[in-house]
Amino acid sequence: TGSEMLGEDFKLGPVVIEGKTKVVYQLAGDPELVLLQSKDRITAGDGDRSHDMKGKAAISTDTTTTIFELLNAAGIKTHFVRRNEETSFIAYNCEMIPIEWVTRRVATGSFLKRNPGVKEGYRFCPPKQETFFRDDENHDPQWSYEECIAAHMTVGGVPIGQDELDIMRKTTLTVFEILERSWASLDCSLIDMKIEFGGQTQHRRNLTSWGGGGVDEWRLWPLGDKRLMKDKQVLQRAEE
């Protein structure tokens, strides 16, 4: 509720938006900050399939906040401010740019369906980058770089032109390489990753990386072996 105390220094305000796996709350008295509360929920297929999964919210929050702390320490601008409780963290209030940036090291999943001539396991050097327009009803259609420019978006007071797209492209690749090396230290291969960006509101008129830290945002193959995958693709394969 809006009067609920969280810690000693702030209160929850109204719900900003509620999605399939999290709820975003305004922080009372500070329009620049929000609280992201994770749910014990896992989804697949643009939300067509979903299940309750006890403990998922805590695991997701712990993984997400650890990743954002790593990225912030590396100098990447993110919306992350600090952890709150076991299943929530505080972030800057951003207006989402409706473009998903997907970076791939290995050809698998939907890439194979769109490019049937490519065999699974093909390794991209440098990593392959793709952009998709966020639209669940139309299954997030793929957009070219030129289509993204031609859309003439303005988000959080920031016009999204060629310069902004180039910043997002380079940031996405940098984030992927940081996380790829981090997972490799644990003998785990980062196969592909999705990241999104937001335009910060109020006095912070810049682009901020938004996604990329959650367990729903990537494919991970321990020892590079697809059979050992540790991501939500396990759910999708079980229901196919």
Side-chain angles (χ1 to χ4, degrees):
T1 62
S3 61
E4 180 181 355
M5 287 293 296
L6 294 178
E8 299 178 354
D9 54 350
F10 63 89
K11 297 180 181 180
L12 271 187
V15 172
V16 176
I17 188 171
E18 181 169 358
K20 297 182 286 287
T21 60
K22 64 178 68 71
V23 185
V24 180
Y25 295 92
Q26 178 71 60
L27 292 193
D30 193 340
E32 292 194 8
L33 296 177
V34 293
L35 181 135
L36 284 81
Q37 175 68 56
S38 294
K39 300 179 181 179
D40 281 335
R41 195 77 175 162
I42 188 168
T43 67
D46 294 329
D48 293 338
R49 299 186 296 276
S50 62
H51 293 278
D52 290 328
M53 182 178 288
K54 186 176 180 180
K56 190 262 186 180
I59 294 171
S60 179
T61 301
D62 188 51
T63 304
T64 300
T65 55
T66 299
I67 292 298
F68 279 128
E69 287 168 355
L70 172 65
L71 294 178
N72 284 352
I76 302 296
K77 292 181 179 179
T78 77
H79 71 322
F80 177 77
V81 176
R82 66 178 174 87
R83 300 185 189 213
N84 178 52
E85 296 179 336
E86 186 180 36
T87 60
S88 64
F89 66 91
I90 297 171
Y92 290 117
N93 188 10
C94 299
E95 183 179 346
M96 187 189 69
I97 300 170
I99 298 174
E100 294 181 343
W101 291 80
V102 175
T103 306
R104 302 181 186 277
R105 178 61 78 186
V106 176
T108 191
S110 64
F111 182 87
L112 300 179
K113 295 179 181 179
R114 289 181 282 105
N115 300 274
V118 180
K119 292 184 178 180
E120 184 167 37
Y122 180 90
R123 189 170 181 83
F124 299 109
C125 294
K128 179 76 171 178
Q129 290 186 285
E130 299 176 303
T131 48
F132 299 84
F133 180 66
R134 276 194 61 104
D135 183 356
D136 283 352
E137 291 185 4
N138 292 304
H139 303 288
D140 299 337
Q142 185 173 10
W143 274 18
S144 67
Y145 178 82
E146 292 74 19
E147 285 178 299
C148 294
I149 294 176
H152 297 297
M153 300 178 190
T154 298
V155 177
V158 179
I160 308 302
Q162 185 170 344
D163 288 344
E164 287 71 28
L165 286 167
D166 286 344
I167 290 171
M168 288 187 278
R169 176 177 57 81
K170 293 176 182 178
T171 300
T172 298
L173 184 57
T174 300
V175 169
F176 183 87
E177 291 178 341
I178 291 172
L179 298 185
E180 182 180 44
R181 291 186 181 187
S182 297
W183 281 113
S185 70
L186 300 175
D187 293 326
C188 195
S189 297
L190 179 60
I191 302 303
D192 54 43
M193 179 196 73
K194 179 179 70 177
I195 191 172
E196 298 168 64
F197 291 81
Q200 287 183 257
T201 60
Q202 301 298 320
H203 306 297
R204 297 184 175 87
R205 300 293 186 182
N206 53 36
L207 298 176
T208 301
S209 55
W210 191 324
V215 294
D216 297 331
E217 312 295 336
W218 51 33
R219 281 187 179 89
L220 295 171
W221 294 356
L223 304 177
D225 190 337
K226 181 180 179 180
R227 296 170 299 177
L228 303 177
M229 66 175 66
K230 299 294 184 183
D231 50 67
K232 72 175 184 178
Q233 296 302 313
V234 175
L235 170 64
Q236 294 191 182
R237 293 182 68 188
E239 296 194 347
E240 288 177 350

